[in-house]
Amino acid sequence: MQPTFSQVIQSPTPTLVDFYADWCGPCKQMKPILVELKSKMGDAIKIIKVDVDSAQAAAQTYNIQSIPTLILFKNGSIVWRKSGVVAAQQLEQIIQQHL
């Protein structure tokens, strides 16, 4: 069975959530960055994508005003948040601080 969103973000493993939409140009720029980040960091991090059009309740819960918005969770708490495209190197540094 697939874990729920709230179960995933409760994890002690840092979980990066990418709030995006298929029609969003900058969101498409984030995809290869997240792939690169996952290949570098492996199991040290979880990365999940949340489509704001199909998961409007989650988007409202986290007050997503613009996309892409990246939120880093650890043990259910937000430890970092940023809207817009973020470079893989910057993301890696931020995540390393929360490992």
Side-chain angles (χ1 to χ4, degrees):
M1 199 169 105
Q2 196 83 9
T4 65
F5 180 79
S6 57
Q7 288 171 326
V8 172
I9 65 170
Q10 292 297 327
S11 169
T13 303
T15 303
L16 184 66
V17 181
D18 174 21
F19 288 91
Y20 79 102
D22 288 332
W23 48 263
C24 162
C27 299
K28 291 177 182 150
Q29 291 177 302
M30 278 309 304
K31 186 173 183 176
I33 293 170
L34 295 175
V35 168
E36 178 187 337
L37 183 69
K38 183 64 178 169
S39 71
K40 276 186 179 175
M41 301 201 72
D43 293 337
I45 182 170
K46 293 179 189 166
I47 299 175
I48 58 175
K49 295 177 72 65
V50 175
D51 184 335
V52 296
D53 291 331
S54 59
Q56 293 178 346
Q60 286 178 332
T61 299
Y62 293 100
N63 197 24
I64 304 302
Q65 301 287 324
S66 62
I67 50 175
T69 292
L70 299 167
I71 302 180
L72 185 63
F73 291 90
K74 187 169 182 180
N75 298 317
S77 298
I78 295 173
V79 294
W80 177 84
R81 175 182 177 134
K82 184 164 177 30
S83 295
V85 176
V86 183
Q89 188 176 7
Q90 184 185 355
L91 281 170
E92 190 177 353
Q93 289 172 340
I94 290 156
I95 293 159
Q96 291 288 356
Q97 295 169 6
H98 297 287
L99 288 177

